[in-house]
Amino acid sequence: MAEAVLIDLFGLKLTCQENFYETLLKTLNAIQYHLAAKAKFLCIMDCSKMSCERDGEHDNCELETSNGLLTLMREFEIVRNPSMAASLYTIKQKLDEKNLSSIKVIVPAHRKTLMKAFIDRLFTEVYNFEFEDLQVTLRDGLLKQSTEINTITAHELEEIQSEIETYLRSLPALKGELTIIASPLIPDIFIHGFTIRIGGISYIPTLSSFNLFSSSKRRDPKVVVQENLHRLANTAGFSVEKFYQIKTDHANEVWIMGRKEPESFDGITLNQRGVTIAAPGADCIPIVFADPVKKACGVAHSGWKGTLLGVAMATVNAMIAEYGCSLEDIIVVLGPSVGPCCFTLPRESANAFHNLHSECVRLFNSPRPHIDIRKATRILLEQGGILPQNIHDLNQDLNLCTSCHPDKFFSHVRDGLNFGTQIGFISIRE
Protein backbone atom coordinates (compact mmCIF):
# COMPACT_ATOMS: atom_id res chain seq x y z
CA MET A 1 0.00 0.00 0.00
CA ALA A 2 1.37 3.43 -0.99
CA GLU A 3 2.47 5.70 1.84
CA ALA A 4 2.19 8.74 -0.40
CA VAL A 5 0.28 9.69 -3.55
CA LEU A 6 1.48 12.23 -6.11
CA ILE A 7 -0.77 13.51 -8.91
CA ASP A 8 1.19 15.12 -11.73
CA LEU A 9 -0.53 18.05 -13.44
CA PHE A 10 2.71 19.94 -14.08
CA GLY A 11 2.74 22.09 -17.18
CA LEU A 12 -0.36 20.53 -18.75
CA LYS A 13 -2.43 22.71 -21.04
CA LEU A 14 -5.84 21.36 -20.12
CA THR A 15 -9.31 22.01 -21.42
CA CYS A 16 -11.64 23.88 -19.13
CA GLN A 17 -14.42 21.62 -20.32
CA GLU A 18 -16.56 19.80 -17.83
CA ASN A 19 -15.21 16.36 -18.78
CA PHE A 20 -11.73 17.27 -17.51
CA TYR A 21 -13.02 18.33 -14.11
CA GLU A 22 -15.20 15.26 -13.93
CA THR A 23 -12.10 13.13 -14.64
CA LEU A 24 -10.05 14.93 -12.01
CA LEU A 25 -12.87 14.80 -9.46
CA LYS A 26 -13.28 11.08 -10.12
CA THR A 27 -9.55 10.52 -9.66
CA LEU A 28 -9.40 12.46 -6.39
CA ASN A 29 -12.48 10.70 -5.06
CA ALA A 30 -10.97 7.30 -5.91
CA ILE A 31 -7.76 8.22 -4.09
CA GLN A 32 -9.72 9.43 -1.11
CA TYR A 33 -11.73 6.21 -1.02
CA HIS A 34 -8.98 3.66 -1.69
CA LEU A 35 -5.72 5.25 -0.55
CA ALA A 36 -6.21 8.26 1.71
CA ALA A 37 -6.95 6.24 4.84
CA LYS A 38 -3.46 4.68 4.78
CA ALA A 39 -1.47 7.22 2.78
CA LYS A 40 0.31 9.75 4.98
CA PHE A 41 0.91 12.32 2.24
CA LEU A 42 -1.34 13.37 -0.66
CA CYS A 43 0.11 15.82 -3.14
CA ILE A 44 -0.75 17.53 -6.41
CA MET A 45 2.10 18.95 -8.49
CA ASP A 46 1.25 21.73 -10.92
CA CYS A 47 2.39 25.14 -12.15
CA SER A 48 1.34 28.38 -10.47
CA LYS A 49 -1.34 28.92 -13.08
CA MET A 50 -2.98 26.41 -15.40
CA SER A 51 -3.36 27.60 -18.96
CA CYS A 52 -6.81 26.54 -20.15
CA GLU A 53 -8.55 26.86 -23.49
CA ARG A 54 -12.26 27.59 -23.89
CA ASP A 55 -13.92 28.32 -27.23
CA GLY A 56 -10.63 29.07 -28.93
CA GLU A 57 -9.55 31.61 -26.30
CA HIS A 58 -7.01 31.12 -23.49
CA ASP A 59 -7.89 31.83 -19.89
CA ASN A 60 -5.99 31.36 -16.67
CA CYS A 61 -7.97 29.31 -14.19
CA GLU A 62 -7.11 28.09 -10.72
CA LEU A 63 -8.05 24.44 -10.38
CA GLU A 64 -9.12 24.82 -6.77
CA THR A 65 -11.91 27.23 -7.61
CA SER A 66 -13.36 25.27 -10.53
CA ASN A 67 -16.40 22.99 -10.54
CA GLY A 68 -16.58 22.39 -6.79
CA LEU A 69 -13.09 20.87 -6.45
CA LEU A 70 -12.07 23.24 -3.68
CA THR A 71 -13.30 21.15 -0.76
CA LEU A 72 -11.81 17.91 -2.02
CA MET A 73 -8.46 19.46 -2.96
CA ARG A 74 -8.00 20.78 0.56
CA GLU A 75 -7.09 17.20 1.46
CA PHE A 76 -4.11 17.44 -0.91
CA GLU A 77 -0.96 19.48 -0.56
CA ILE A 78 -0.38 21.59 -3.67
CA VAL A 79 3.25 21.96 -4.76
CA ARG A 80 3.86 24.75 -7.25
CA ASN A 81 7.28 25.60 -8.60
CA PRO A 82 8.49 26.97 -11.94
CA SER A 83 10.43 23.82 -12.82
CA MET A 84 9.99 20.06 -12.59
CA ALA A 85 13.28 19.77 -10.72
CA ALA A 86 12.22 22.28 -8.07
CA SER A 87 8.78 20.68 -7.68
CA LEU A 88 10.03 17.11 -7.32
CA TYR A 89 12.85 18.12 -4.98
CA THR A 90 10.35 19.97 -2.79
CA ILE A 91 8.15 16.85 -2.75
CA LYS A 92 11.18 14.69 -1.92
CA GLN A 93 11.90 16.88 1.10
CA LYS A 94 8.34 16.47 2.31
CA LEU A 95 8.54 12.68 1.86
CA ASP A 96 11.83 12.56 3.74
CA GLU A 97 10.45 14.68 6.59
CA LYS A 98 7.80 11.99 7.07
CA ASN A 99 10.27 9.13 6.38
CA LEU A 100 8.08 7.81 3.53
CA SER A 101 9.45 5.64 0.74
CA SER A 102 6.49 3.99 -1.04
CA ILE A 103 4.94 6.42 -3.54
CA LYS A 104 2.13 6.05 -6.09
CA VAL A 105 2.52 8.52 -8.97
CA ILE A 106 -0.61 9.25 -11.01
CA VAL A 107 0.68 10.81 -14.19
CA PRO A 108 -0.63 11.45 -17.72
CA ALA A 109 0.62 8.64 -19.95
CA HIS A 110 2.52 10.95 -22.28
CA ARG A 111 4.56 12.31 -19.32
CA LYS A 112 5.35 9.02 -17.58
CA THR A 113 8.77 8.49 -19.19
CA LEU A 114 9.75 12.09 -18.50
CA MET A 115 8.64 11.76 -14.87
CA LYS A 116 10.66 8.56 -14.48
CA ALA A 117 13.76 10.29 -15.86
CA PHE A 118 13.52 13.03 -13.20
CA ILE A 119 12.80 10.50 -10.44
CA ASP A 120 15.78 8.34 -11.45
CA ARG A 121 18.07 11.32 -10.83
CA LEU A 122 16.47 12.81 -7.72
CA PHE A 123 15.70 9.62 -5.78
CA THR A 124 17.62 6.46 -4.84
CA GLU A 125 16.65 2.80 -4.48
CA VAL A 126 15.42 3.54 -0.95
CA TYR A 127 12.19 4.70 -2.61
CA ASN A 128 9.64 2.50 -4.37
CA PHE A 129 7.54 4.13 -7.09
CA GLU A 130 4.35 2.77 -8.62
CA PHE A 131 2.92 4.51 -11.67
CA GLU A 132 -0.71 4.84 -12.74
CA ASP A 133 -2.10 6.65 -15.79
CA LEU A 134 -4.09 9.83 -15.27
CA GLN A 135 -6.74 10.09 -17.99
CA VAL A 136 -6.82 13.71 -19.18
CA THR A 137 -7.90 15.58 -22.30
CA LEU A 138 -5.17 17.74 -23.77
CA ARG A 139 -6.15 21.10 -25.21
CA ASP A 140 -5.71 20.01 -28.83
CA GLY A 141 -7.81 16.92 -28.16
CA LEU A 142 -5.49 14.54 -30.00
CA LEU A 143 -5.74 11.04 -28.54
CA LYS A 144 -2.24 10.10 -29.68
CA GLN A 145 -0.76 12.66 -27.31
CA SER A 146 -2.35 10.86 -24.38
CA THR A 147 -0.35 7.71 -25.08
CA GLU A 148 2.92 6.96 -23.35
CA ILE A 149 6.15 8.16 -24.93
CA ASN A 150 8.62 5.36 -24.24
CA THR A 151 11.88 7.03 -25.21
CA ILE A 152 13.73 10.20 -24.34
CA THR A 153 16.52 11.47 -26.55
CA ALA A 154 20.06 11.98 -25.30
CA HIS A 155 19.57 15.72 -25.72
CA GLU A 156 16.42 15.64 -23.57
CA LEU A 157 18.28 13.70 -20.87
CA GLU A 158 21.02 16.34 -20.92
CA GLU A 159 18.39 19.04 -20.51
CA ILE A 160 16.84 17.19 -17.55
CA GLN A 161 20.26 16.82 -15.91
CA SER A 162 21.03 20.48 -16.57
CA GLU A 163 17.69 21.61 -15.09
CA ILE A 164 18.34 19.59 -11.92
CA GLU A 165 21.93 20.81 -11.57
CA THR A 166 20.91 24.43 -12.11
CA TYR A 167 18.24 24.19 -9.45
CA LEU A 168 20.52 22.48 -6.89
CA ARG A 169 23.23 25.06 -7.55
CA SER A 170 20.76 27.78 -6.55
CA LEU A 171 20.12 26.29 -3.10
CA PRO A 172 21.74 27.94 -0.07
CA ALA A 173 24.34 26.12 2.00
CA LEU A 174 23.02 24.59 5.21
CA LYS A 175 24.43 24.77 8.75
CA GLY A 176 27.20 27.28 8.01
CA GLU A 177 30.05 27.90 5.60
CA LEU A 178 32.01 25.15 3.90
CA THR A 179 35.12 24.45 5.98
CA ILE A 180 38.28 22.57 5.03
CA ILE A 181 40.82 21.36 7.59
CA ALA A 182 44.39 21.36 6.26
CA SER A 183 47.74 20.22 7.63
CA PRO A 184 50.69 22.64 7.89
CA LEU A 185 53.04 19.71 7.14
CA ILE A 186 51.90 19.47 3.51
CA PRO A 187 53.48 22.17 1.31
CA ASP A 188 51.57 24.41 -1.09
CA ILE A 189 52.56 22.44 -4.19
CA PHE A 190 49.64 20.22 -3.16
CA ILE A 191 45.94 21.04 -2.81
CA HIS A 192 44.65 19.02 0.13
CA GLY A 193 42.26 18.97 3.05
CA PHE A 194 39.64 17.20 5.10
CA THR A 195 35.97 18.15 5.01
CA ILE A 196 33.52 18.56 7.88
CA ARG A 197 29.76 18.25 7.69
CA ILE A 198 28.67 21.89 7.23
CA GLY A 199 28.25 23.98 4.08
CA GLY A 200 26.42 21.58 1.75
CA ILE A 201 22.82 21.09 0.60
CA SER A 202 22.04 17.62 2.04
CA TYR A 203 19.06 18.17 4.34
CA ILE A 204 18.32 14.71 5.82
CA PRO A 205 19.45 14.90 9.48
CA THR A 206 22.08 12.14 9.46
CA LEU A 207 23.38 13.33 6.06
CA SER A 208 23.14 17.07 6.66
CA SER A 209 24.68 19.00 5.22
CA PHE A 210 27.96 18.27 3.41
CA ASN A 211 27.58 14.57 2.67
CA LEU A 212 30.04 13.40 0.01
CA PHE A 213 28.94 9.85 -0.70
CA SER A 214 25.84 8.43 -2.35
CA SER A 215 24.64 4.85 -2.28
CA SER A 216 21.46 2.98 -3.12
CA LYS A 217 20.85 2.51 0.62
CA ARG A 218 20.82 6.21 1.47
CA ARG A 219 18.33 8.97 0.63
CA ASP A 220 20.91 11.38 -0.82
CA PRO A 221 20.99 10.96 -4.62
CA LYS A 222 24.17 11.32 -6.69
CA VAL A 223 23.11 14.74 -8.01
CA VAL A 224 23.05 16.18 -4.47
CA VAL A 225 26.43 14.66 -3.59
CA GLN A 226 27.82 15.97 -6.90
CA GLU A 227 26.60 19.47 -6.03
CA ASN A 228 28.32 19.24 -2.65
CA LEU A 229 31.48 18.08 -4.42
CA HIS A 230 31.16 20.92 -6.95
CA ARG A 231 31.11 23.42 -4.07
CA LEU A 232 34.14 21.79 -2.49
CA ALA A 233 36.05 21.90 -5.79
CA ASN A 234 35.27 25.61 -6.22
CA THR A 235 36.42 26.38 -2.67
CA ALA A 236 39.56 24.22 -2.69
CA GLY A 237 40.53 24.97 -6.29
CA PHE A 238 40.52 21.57 -7.97
CA SER A 239 38.71 20.18 -11.02
CA VAL A 240 35.61 18.13 -10.29
CA GLU A 241 36.01 16.49 -13.71
CA LYS A 242 39.33 14.97 -12.57
CA PHE A 243 38.23 13.61 -9.21
CA TYR A 244 38.53 9.98 -8.09
CA GLN A 245 37.39 8.45 -4.82
CA ILE A 246 38.33 5.18 -3.18
CA LYS A 247 35.94 2.25 -3.65
CA THR A 248 36.18 0.79 -0.20
CA ASP A 249 36.52 -2.89 0.60
CA HIS A 250 38.00 -2.48 4.11
CA ALA A 251 41.12 -4.24 2.88
CA ASN A 252 44.56 -3.11 1.63
CA GLU A 253 44.54 -3.06 -2.18
CA VAL A 254 46.01 0.11 -3.71
CA TRP A 255 45.16 1.50 -7.15
CA ILE A 256 48.15 3.11 -8.85
CA MET A 257 46.62 5.79 -11.04
CA GLY A 258 47.27 5.04 -14.68
CA ARG A 259 46.97 1.29 -14.29
CA LYS A 260 43.76 -0.68 -14.65
CA GLU A 261 41.29 0.31 -11.95
CA PRO A 262 40.39 -2.56 -9.59
CA GLU A 263 36.76 -3.27 -8.69
CA SER A 264 37.50 -2.16 -5.13
CA PHE A 265 40.49 -0.57 -3.42
CA ASP A 266 41.28 1.24 -0.19
CA GLY A 267 44.25 3.25 -1.41
CA ILE A 268 45.17 5.38 -4.44
CA THR A 269 48.53 6.85 -5.49
CA LEU A 270 49.46 9.19 -8.34
CA ASN A 271 52.05 11.64 -9.64
CA GLN A 272 49.93 13.38 -12.32
CA ARG A 273 49.24 17.07 -11.84
CA GLY A 274 45.69 18.36 -11.63
CA VAL A 275 44.04 15.06 -10.64
CA THR A 276 42.36 14.91 -7.22
CA ILE A 277 42.05 11.70 -5.22
CA ALA A 278 39.98 11.24 -2.09
CA ALA A 279 39.40 8.82 0.77
CA PRO A 280 36.00 8.68 2.50
CA GLY A 281 35.57 8.55 6.25
CA ALA A 282 32.77 8.33 8.77
CA ASP A 283 34.70 6.88 11.75
CA CYS A 284 37.27 5.13 9.54
CA ILE A 285 40.42 7.23 9.03
CA PRO A 286 40.85 9.13 5.75
CA ILE A 287 44.63 9.31 5.32
CA VAL A 288 46.52 11.66 2.99
CA PHE A 289 50.12 11.04 1.84
CA ALA A 290 52.43 13.57 0.16
CA ASP A 291 56.00 13.44 -1.10
CA PRO A 292 57.12 16.99 -2.02
CA VAL A 293 60.47 15.71 -3.34
CA LYS A 294 59.15 13.27 -5.96
CA LYS A 295 55.90 15.23 -6.27
CA ALA A 296 53.70 12.20 -5.65
CA CYS A 297 50.72 11.70 -3.37
CA GLY A 298 48.21 9.14 -2.14
CA VAL A 299 45.12 8.55 -0.04
CA ALA A 300 43.91 5.60 2.02
CA HIS A 301 40.76 4.56 3.82
CA SER A 302 41.64 2.84 7.08
CA GLY A 303 38.96 1.25 9.23
CA TRP A 304 39.82 -1.28 11.88
CA LYS A 305 40.13 -4.11 9.36
CA GLY A 306 42.19 -2.04 6.94
CA THR A 307 44.40 -0.88 9.79
CA LEU A 308 45.26 -4.45 10.78
CA LEU A 309 45.77 -5.38 7.11
CA GLY A 310 48.28 -2.53 6.78
CA VAL A 311 46.54 -0.35 4.19
CA ALA A 312 48.54 2.74 5.26
CA MET A 313 51.94 1.13 4.65
CA ALA A 314 50.61 -0.57 1.50
CA THR A 315 49.97 2.94 0.13
CA VAL A 316 53.43 4.10 1.21
CA ASN A 317 55.05 1.06 -0.40
CA ALA A 318 53.16 1.69 -3.64
CA MET A 319 54.56 5.26 -3.74
CA ILE A 320 58.08 3.94 -3.15
CA ALA A 321 57.83 1.20 -5.77
CA GLU A 322 56.09 3.29 -8.45
CA TYR A 323 57.57 6.76 -8.07
CA GLY A 324 60.89 6.16 -6.32
CA CYS A 325 59.78 7.94 -3.15
CA SER A 326 61.94 7.74 -0.02
CA LEU A 327 60.47 6.91 3.37
CA GLU A 328 62.02 9.98 4.99
CA ASP A 329 60.29 12.32 2.48
CA ILE A 330 56.73 11.01 2.79
CA ILE A 331 54.32 13.08 4.91
CA VAL A 332 51.26 11.32 6.32
CA VAL A 333 48.19 13.10 7.72
CA LEU A 334 45.54 11.16 9.63
CA GLY A 335 42.16 12.81 9.11
CA PRO A 336 39.23 12.89 11.55
CA SER A 337 37.98 9.50 12.76
CA VAL A 338 36.35 7.79 15.72
CA GLY A 339 38.40 7.77 18.88
CA PRO A 340 38.94 5.05 21.49
CA CYS A 341 36.34 6.83 23.62
CA CYS A 342 33.58 5.62 21.29
CA PHE A 343 34.88 2.65 19.29
CA THR A 344 34.68 -0.89 20.68
CA LEU A 345 35.19 -4.39 19.30
CA PRO A 346 34.54 -7.90 20.61
CA ARG A 347 37.39 -9.40 22.63
CA GLU A 348 38.50 -11.74 19.84
CA SER A 349 38.89 -8.82 17.38
CA ALA A 350 40.54 -6.62 20.01
CA ASN A 351 43.26 -9.24 20.53
CA ALA A 352 45.00 -8.30 17.28
CA PHE A 353 45.26 -4.66 18.37
CA HIS A 354 46.49 -5.69 21.82
CA ASN A 355 49.13 -7.87 20.19
CA LEU A 356 50.29 -4.90 18.12
CA HIS A 357 50.64 -2.73 21.24
CA SER A 358 48.85 -2.73 24.58
CA GLU A 359 48.22 1.04 24.28
CA CYS A 360 45.94 0.40 21.30
CA VAL A 361 43.34 -1.15 23.62
CA ARG A 362 41.53 0.18 26.66
CA LEU A 363 39.57 -1.96 29.12
CA PHE A 364 40.99 -5.09 27.50
CA ASN A 365 39.29 -7.44 29.97
CA SER A 366 35.81 -6.09 29.24
CA PRO A 367 33.44 -7.89 26.80
CA ARG A 368 33.97 -5.08 24.27
CA PRO A 369 37.34 -3.37 24.70
CA HIS A 370 37.86 0.18 23.40
CA ILE A 371 40.12 0.36 20.35
CA ASP A 372 42.45 3.16 19.24
CA ILE A 373 42.79 2.67 15.49
CA ARG A 374 44.75 5.91 15.19
CA LYS A 375 47.48 4.82 17.57
CA ALA A 376 47.63 1.46 15.77
CA THR A 377 48.00 3.25 12.42
CA ARG A 378 50.78 5.49 13.73
CA ILE A 379 52.63 2.49 15.21
CA LEU A 380 52.43 0.60 11.91
CA LEU A 381 53.63 3.65 9.95
CA GLU A 382 56.58 4.20 12.28
CA GLN A 383 57.44 0.50 12.19
CA GLY A 384 57.39 0.78 8.40
CA GLY A 385 59.92 3.61 8.43
CA ILE A 386 57.84 6.81 8.29
CA LEU A 387 59.49 9.47 10.45
CA PRO A 388 57.44 10.31 13.57
CA GLN A 389 57.72 14.05 12.83
CA ASN A 390 56.22 13.44 9.38
CA ILE A 391 53.00 12.00 10.82
CA HIS A 392 50.30 14.57 11.61
CA ASP A 393 47.36 13.32 13.68
CA LEU A 394 44.51 15.82 13.34
CA ASN A 395 42.45 14.17 16.09
CA GLN A 396 45.34 14.55 18.52
CA ASP A 397 45.89 18.22 17.63
CA LEU A 398 42.22 19.22 17.64
CA ASN A 399 40.87 16.70 20.17
CA LEU A 400 38.35 15.49 17.61
CA CYS A 401 36.37 12.26 17.56
CA THR A 402 33.82 11.87 14.78
CA SER A 403 31.32 10.17 17.08
CA CYS A 404 31.70 12.75 19.86
CA HIS A 405 31.19 15.79 17.61
CA PRO A 406 27.84 15.55 15.75
CA ASP A 407 28.04 19.27 14.94
CA LYS A 408 31.23 18.74 12.93
CA PHE A 409 31.39 15.15 11.67
CA PHE A 410 29.40 12.24 10.30
CA SER A 411 29.65 8.98 12.21
CA HIS A 412 28.52 5.44 11.45
CA VAL A 413 28.98 4.48 15.11
CA ARG A 414 26.68 7.30 16.22
CA ASP A 415 24.15 7.55 13.37
CA GLY A 416 23.69 3.96 12.19
CA LEU A 417 23.26 2.77 8.60
CA ASN A 418 22.00 6.04 7.09
CA PHE A 419 25.22 7.91 7.91
CA GLY A 420 26.89 10.69 5.94
CA THR A 421 30.49 10.78 4.78
CA GLN A 422 33.34 13.29 4.89
CA ILE A 423 36.55 12.92 2.87
CA GLY A 424 40.26 13.60 2.84
CA PHE A 425 41.58 14.74 -0.55
CA ILE A 426 44.84 15.73 -2.27
CA SER A 427 46.14 16.71 -5.69
CA ILE A 428 49.34 18.12 -7.18
CA ARG A 429 48.86 21.66 -8.41
CA GLU A 430 49.06 22.16 -12.17
Side-chain angles (χ1 to χ4, degrees), residues 145-208:
Q145 291 196 23
S146 292
T147 59
E148 182 174 354
I149 299 171
N150 292 316
T151 60
I152 292 183
T153 66
H155 177 67
E156 288 171 328
L157 289 175
E158 288 177 3
E159 288 185 332
I160 290 169
Q161 185 70 21
S162 177
E163 179 182 322
I164 292 171
E165 290 175 357
T166 299
Y167 172 68
L168 295 179
R169 204 143 292 168
S170 72
L171 297 177
L174 302 174
K175 292 193 172 182
E177 293 185 7
L178 195 160
T179 301
I180 300 170
I181 303 173
S183 169
L185 291 187
I186 296 183
D188 196 47
I189 63 168
F190 299 96
I191 298 172
H192 86 284
F194 299 87
T195 63
I196 65 174
R197 69 178 299 174
I198 64 173
I201 63 168
S202 303
Y203 58 81
I204 295 163
T206 57
L207 303 176
S208 177

Side-chain angles (χ1 to χ4, degrees), residues 103-258:
I103 305 105
K104 176 185 279 289
V105 181
I106 302 175
V107 55
H110 72 285
R111 283 176 51 82
K112 188 184 297 184
T113 303
L114 177 70
M115 174 67 79
K116 287 180 177 179
F118 273 94
I119 285 173
D120 285 346
R121 286 157 179 76
L122 287 170
F123 293 82
T124 68
E125 292 179 20
V126 169
Y127 307 85
N128 177 46
F129 287 91
E130 177 186 353
F131 293 87
E132 179 179 311
D133 289 349
L134 173 64
Q135 302 298 323
V136 295
T137 303
L138 299 181
R139 68 181 178 87
D140 56 11
L142 295 178
L143 181 62
K144 65 180 181 181
Q145 291 196 23
S146 292
T147 59
E148 182 174 354
I149 299 171
N150 292 316
T151 60
I152 292 183
T153 66
H155 177 67
E156 288 171 328
L157 289 175
E158 288 177 3
E159 288 185 332
I160 290 169
Q161 185 70 21
S162 177
E163 179 182 322
I164 292 171
E165 290 175 357
T166 299
Y167 172 68
L168 295 179
R169 204 143 292 168
S170 72
L171 297 177
L174 302 174
K175 292 193 172 182
E177 293 185 7
L178 195 160
T179 301
I180 300 170
I181 303 173
S183 169
L185 291 187
I186 296 183
D188 196 47
I189 63 168
F190 299 96
I191 298 172
H192 86 284
F194 299 87
T195 63
I196 65 174
R197 69 178 299 174
I198 64 173
I201 63 168
S202 303
Y203 58 81
I204 295 163
T206 57
L207 303 176
S208 177
S209 67
F210 203 64
N211 174 40
L212 287 168
F213 185 76
S214 177
S215 85
S216 60
K217 297 178 181 179
R218 305 185 197 181
R219 287 178 176 257
D220 242 5
K222 288 181 181 179
V223 286
V224 168
V225 171
Q226 281 298 115
E227 174 56 24
N228 286 340
L229 178 61
H230 177 85
R231 296 182 185 206
L232 174 62
N234 283 346
T235 301
F238 64 79
S239 169
V240 74
E241 285 77 26
K242 298 179 181 178
F243 176 87
Y244 298 87
Q245 188 160 306
I246 281 169
K247 298 178 181 178
T248 59
D249 191 36
H250 298 280
N252 60 2
E253 183 163 4
V254 178
W255 176 32
I256 297 169
M257 185 73 70

Side-chain angles (χ1 to χ4, degrees), residues 183 185-187 190 268-270 287-300 311-334 378 381-382 384-392 426:
S183 169
L185 291 187
I186 296 183
F190 299 96
I268 312 176
T269 66
L270 61 75
I287 309 176
V288 165
F289 305 79
D291 180 349
V293 177
K294 293 296 184 180
K295 295 181 175 59
C297 59
V299 292
V311 67
M313 276 310 300
T315 307
V316 168
N317 290 333
M319 293 173 67
I320 293 170
E322 191 68 17
Y323 316 120
C325 299
S326 299
L327 280 168
E328 60 269 21
D329 297 326
I330 296 176
I331 299 164
V332 185
V333 184
L334 309 186
R378 174 182 278 275
L381 286 167
E382 291 183 7
I386 298 294
L387 300 178
Q389 62 268 29
N390 283 351
I391 303 174
H392 184 190
I426 189 166

